[in-house]
Amino acid sequence: MRVKSGEFRWFSARGSAVWNKEGQAVRMAGSLRDITDRKFMEQSLVQSEKHSAVGHLAACMRLTALGQLSAGVAHELNNPLSVILGFSQSLAQQFGDNASLKEPLKNIEREALRCKRLVQDLLNFSRLPRSGMVMEDLVQVAEGALSLVETQTRIQNVELLRDFSPDLPKVFLDRHKIQQLLINLCTNALDAMPKGGRLTIQMKCLSDPKEPSLVQISVSDTGTGISPQIREHIFKPFFTTKESGKGTGLGLSLVREVVKEHVGQLDLVSELGKGTTFTVRLPVGHRSASLC
């Protein structure tokens, strides 16, 4: 409707007829409510969802490009690493009795093998996820993710601790997605410890007669912590407290989606100035999880 100022505004109308004794409708009675602000909010929400969808697509395209780049770099590194490893092993055989060369050659071999494992993890990470979930050794899955994080922990003076229970059963999961989950949680933890600290990955089996057997994965840091005001928003897509260009705001929302797909549970405990712990609980053998 057009109002006195000449502006058009939205109204919600409610009304009904008023009847006389003879059963004739003599007038209408009702009310009008100005809902212009609500309509603007609805339109803004639609636009926001459109932008989010575009942003999500762009993020996915960046991830695809990153995967292709990782694969290319990994392949380029593989050949020189094989040469370094081959020569170091050959020299170790020839000069194995030379005490002054023995230790350096062992170090070269060890570091070359570590680099080859890292290259293999980059190749695995760059490949498309498998189209199904199978029973996996959770420790092997975790180690594949942590090998990609470990270099960054050393650069940032962060101590990486593993606390893996020896009796962990195999778990029905998607290896690629669980590795993404761990990398995202560890990356967030590292961002919360710019001056160094301790990052602890704990995995243990939970036994409860009232529930199916669960495996618990905890990622704890000694960083800055998360305030209660921010905590309720951190799992929303595109929400980030990082500087522009340093985060997409998708990491934790992807973590939540992965947990949901695995029919799991996700908890967060954080205290300002003392650190944060994300806890993921996964059913050991749940086969009704969503596959995508």
Side-chain angles (χ1 to χ4, degrees):
M1 295 177 64
R2 192 171 194 172
V3 296
K4 261 186 182 180
S5 65
E7 177 189 10
F8 285 95
R9 298 187 69 83
W10 287 88
F11 289 87
S12 171
R14 287 176 178 271
S16 60
V18 177
W19 308 87
N20 62 16
K21 292 180 181 178
E22 286 74 34
Q24 297 173 322
V26 291
R27 65 179 185 274
M28 293 289 292
S31 63
L32 288 175
R33 186 161 60 94
D34 190 331
I35 60 166
T36 308
D37 291 341
R38 193 187 81 189
K39 293 293 289 186
F40 280 136
M41 287 177 67
E42 288 173 353
Q43 290 169 1
S44 297
L45 181 60
V46 169
Q47 288 300 317
S48 174
E49 287 176 345
K50 285 180 181 178
H51 290 315
S52 292
V54 171
H56 190 236
L57 177 60
C60 289
M61 290 172 69
R62 285 197 296 272
L63 286 172
T64 301
L66 177 61
Q68 292 171 346
L69 177 63
S70 298
V73 170
H75 281 297
E76 286 298 317
L77 286 173
N78 239 345
N79 288 337
L81 280 173
S82 297
V83 173
I84 293 169
L85 184 59
F87 273 110
S88 66
Q89 290 172 337
S90 176
L91 287 169
Q93 289 176 354
Q94 291 180 45
F95 302 100
D97 298 330
N98 190 322
S100 63
L101 290 176
K102 187 176 182 180
E103 195 61 33
L105 288 171
K106 274 189 176 180
N107 288 339
I108 293 171
E109 182 181 3
R110 184 183 67 247
E111 293 305 311
L113 284 169
R114 188 172 68 83
C115 289
K116 281 188 74 69
R117 284 195 296 270
L118 179 59
V119 165
Q120 189 57 51
D121 288 333
L122 279 171
L123 284 171
N124 291 337
F125 189 70
S126 67
R127 290 175 185 138
L128 291 173
R130 286 178 293 187
S131 59
M133 292 169 43
V134 296
M135 300 301 287
E136 292 270 15
D137 183 327
L138 192 56
V139 172
Q140 288 183 2
V141 172
E143 288 293 356
L146 294 179
S147 65
L148 296 173
V149 175
E150 204 159 9
T151 302
Q152 195 61 33
T153 62
R154 286 196 292 271
I155 293 171
Q156 292 187 213
N157 194 30
V158 171
E159 182 185 10
L160 178 61
L161 299 178
R162 295 166 171 83
D163 181 10
F164 299 162
S165 176
D167 59 350
L168 282 171
K170 287 192 173 183
V171 181
F172 191 64
L173 53 79
D174 183 313
R175 169 185 285 263
H176 182 87
K177 290 182 179 179
I178 293 300
Q179 287 182 335
Q180 277 189 321
L181 176 149
L182 285 168
I183 289 169
N184 286 346
L185 290 179
C186 289
T187 301
N188 265 24
L190 289 171
D191 288 342
M193 297 183 287
K195 297 180 180 179
R198 186 171 63 253
L199 173 61
T200 305
I201 316 299
Q202 184 190 63
M203 297 195 302
K204 62 181 182 181
C205 192
L206 299 181
S207 297
D208 187 339
K210 296 179 183 178
E211 296 180 347
S213 186
L214 298 174
V215 167
Q216 179 173 290
I217 306 169
S218 299
V219 178
S220 304
D221 65 64
T222 56
T224 53
I226 305 169
S227 70
Q229 294 81 6
I230 293 175
R231 214 173 296 166
E232 60 187 67
H233 301 292
I234 61 173
F235 293 109
K236 294 178 181 177
F238 303 101
F239 177 82
T240 180
T241 58
K242 298 174 185 175
E243 297 175 24
S244 178
K246 290 192 176 180
T248 63
L250 286 171
L252 290 177
S253 63
L254 288 173
V255 166
R256 185 178 61 177
E257 286 305 308
V258 170
V259 173
K260 184 178 176 183
E261 287 171 17
H262 286 75
V263 199
Q265 303 161 9
L266 175 62
D267 292 320
L268 162 65
V269 176
S270 186
E271 190 174 347
L272 283 175
K274 293 189 177 180
T276 301
T277 297
F278 285 91
T279 302
V280 176
R281 298 181 188 87
L282 301 176
V284 170
H286 203 299
R287 284 172 167 75
S288 64
S290 166
L291 304 181
C292 67

